[in-house]
Amino acid sequence: MKILVTGGCGFIGSQFVRLVLDEGHEVVNVDKLTYAGNPENVADVADDPRYSFVHADIADHEAMRQAVAGVDAVVNMAAESHVDRSILDPAAFPMTDVVGTAVILGAAREAGVGRFVQVSTDEVYGSIPSGQFRETDPLQPSSPYSASKAGGDLQVLAAHHTYGMDVVITRGSNTFGPRQYPEKLIPLFVTNALEDQPLPVYGDGLQIRDWIHVTDHCTGIWTALREGVAGEVYNVGGGHEATNLHITERILELTGKDDRLVTHVADRPGHDRRYALDTTKLRGLGWEPRSSMDEALADTVAWYTAHSAWWKPIKSGEYRAYYETQYGDR
Ligand code: NAD
Ligand code: DAU
């Protein structure tokens, strides 16, 4: 197959590009190279003759019309992906996460692409105090980010309903691993700890996330692409529930740093308290997450420790301005 992956220079996208090549297929990587897109993330495959790169915005219809020509499937991962940035600048999010999704979806339909996979998030369900979200639960997004992702999901489901398009949606939980931009909890706290900088815990730190390693998230998307039923949604969760404080303590242990680095700061507005996913449906297609949380977190800390040349340049320039806006007054 020739698979078009959008956002392939990002965190999950770059891992998914490697998975597709390892499975013996061709990849076209479409990426706008926003602040989160890093060509270094795919440097190891850039010379593979089965890999090609298109520098474009998924909201550019003409560019998407050209990019989708001759591909068998589209996996749409390109997104503005950070909740805190969506709170600072909500208008930026629908442009990619809703409009961009609608544009590349339309281009795929016009070209007769076989399958369109929309990579979505558990955050579209909102927060759940106990139990686990199922795919049939209502969409109740709480942040500008998750509202935009929900809008993308609805565009994709509408294309199935209206045109009979072959679409599948995955809703992944909090993902971690190598090459994650150091604005998200785990890479931010690991890199801050390595630099003896404060770890800014929002509020009481007792919010719960359902963590999944990036390799397990990617095999989940791959399973949905290959085995999923058209028009269906599949939750992709690791089942590793942990409070932010627990994750913080583990990071301090693994980096050998003191808990005096922990700084409780003002909470995120509208902060979802807990996410948890029921993954029975995807497991029914033969998928299961394989990583142990303890080992995968230790491996992730080891990766950031060994790859300061990857993250130190990121934590300057645009990042510093963002960091000051986000944390300066907290
Ligand atoms: P990321 O921020 O690391 O990467 C996003 C990529 O998309 C970047 O390479 C960026 O340049 C590209 N991009 C952004 N806007 C674009 C546009 N208009 N056109 C083309 N490319 C564009 O994101 P990530 O964490 O790897 O997330 C990937 C996808 O998975 C997103 O759709 C996100 O909503 C979803 N998701 C992420 C997580 C998580 O915990 N990281 C969990 C569940 C779902
Ligand atoms: O659940 C899936 C989602 O997970 C994805 O769709 C998003 O793309 C991804 O960013 C992530 O969203 P979260 O908001 O859950 O992730 P983040 O890493 O920003 O925050 C995780 C938890 O840690 C959350 O409860 C907020 C808290 N946090 C985060 C940061 C950045 C802090 O306490 N301090 C921080 O500085």
Side-chain angles (χ1 to χ4, degrees):
M1 286 200 293
K2 186 172 182 180
I3 299 173
L4 187 151
V5 177
T6 73
C9 293
F11 163 51
I12 303 171
S14 58
Q15 186 64 29
F16 191 74
V17 162
R18 270 185 286 280
L19 183 155
V20 174
L21 292 170
D22 287 348
E23 291 286 339
H25 302 278
E26 285 178 57
V27 182
V28 181
N29 174 10
V30 173
D31 201 298
K32 184 181 173 182
L33 298 179
T34 67
Y35 76 92
N38 185 349
E40 271 188 49
N41 292 348
V42 283
D44 54 331
V45 300
D47 294 332
D48 190 314
R50 299 165 304 154
Y51 171 84
S52 59
F53 177 65
V54 177
H55 184 194
D57 186 334
I58 60 165
D60 177 340
H61 183 256
E62 183 50 30
M64 290 311 102
R65 206 179 59 73
Q66 291 176 24
V68 298
V71 308
D72 299 296
V74 169
V75 179
N76 185 34
M77 307 218 191
E80 289 295 338
S81 70
H82 191 37
V83 172
D84 290 322
R85 288 189 191 249
S86 82
I87 294 168
L88 293 173
D89 182 13
F93 281 65
M95 294 309 292
T96 291
D97 300 4
V98 185
V99 176
T101 296
V103 168
I104 189 169
L105 185 67
R109 177 172 57 80
E110 288 157 19
V113 167
R115 168 153 281 192
F116 188 97
V117 179
Q118 174 69 0
V119 176
S120 185
T121 168
D122 60 358
E123 299 200 5
V124 297
Y125 300 118
S127 188
I128 189 165
S130 59
Q132 297 174 320
F133 283 120
R134 299 186 62 188
E135 291 84 352
T136 45
D137 285 334
L139 302 188
Q140 292 187 313
S142 0
S143 72
Y145 161 69
S146 51
S148 302
K149 291 296 290 184
D153 285 20
L154 293 177
Q155 291 293 327
V156 171
L157 291 173
H160 177 70
H161 184 80
T162 306
Y163 309 109
M165 246 185 111
D166 181 340
V167 304
V168 166
I169 296 177
T170 61
R171 293 191 179 137
S173 64
N174 279 68
T175 309
F176 70 100
R179 303 179 193 82
Q180 185 169 30
Y181 194 84
E183 64 190 354
K184 309 281 166 57
L185 178 75
I186 289 179
L188 173 65
F189 280 21
V190 172
T191 56
N192 276 15
L194 290 173
E195 293 194 308
D196 293 308
Q197 295 298 312
L199 312 187
V201 172
Y202 295 158
D204 61 11
L206 297 178
Q207 305 83 3
I208 291 173
R209 296 293 182 263
D210 173 345
W211 292 98
I212 186 169
H213 190 254
V214 64
T215 52
D216 287 326
H217 192 161
C218 287
T219 59
I221 296 166
W222 182 249
T223 303
L225 165 66
R226 300 307 303 265
E227 311 292 341
V229 174
E232 294 293 320
V233 177
Y234 296 91
N235 289 341
V236 188
H240 302 298
E241 283 189 46
T243 64
N244 296 335
L245 273 183
H246 174 78
I247 296 288
T248 306
E249 283 157 12
R250 286 286 296 134
I251 288 171
L252 288 171
E253 279 166 31
L254 289 163
T255 52
K257 301 292 178 172
D258 200 277
D259 63 7
R260 278 174 297 187
L261 287 181
V262 174
T263 313
H264 285 266
V265 299
D267 207 350
R268 173 186 278 174
H271 201 167
D272 283 336
R273 195 72 177 162
R274 177 173 175 266
Y275 301 139
L277 287 178
D278 180 330
T279 56
T280 307
K281 194 170 168 186
L282 189 61
R283 286 171 188 267
L285 300 181
W287 172 84
E288 60 176 356
R290 298 195 180 278
S291 303
S292 115
M293 183 70 197
D294 266 0
E295 281 172 27
L297 188 56
D299 289 350
T300 301
V301 170
W303 188 87
Y304 282 94
T305 306
H307 290 83
S308 59
W310 181 89
W311 54 266
K312 282 205 168 159
I314 292 174
K315 291 184 98 170
S316 59
E318 185 274 348
Y319 182 91
R320 287 253 51 93
Y322 161 73
Y323 201 85
E324 188 49 38
T325 310
Q326 174 62 19
Y327 296 98
D329 290 337
R330 279 190 136 87

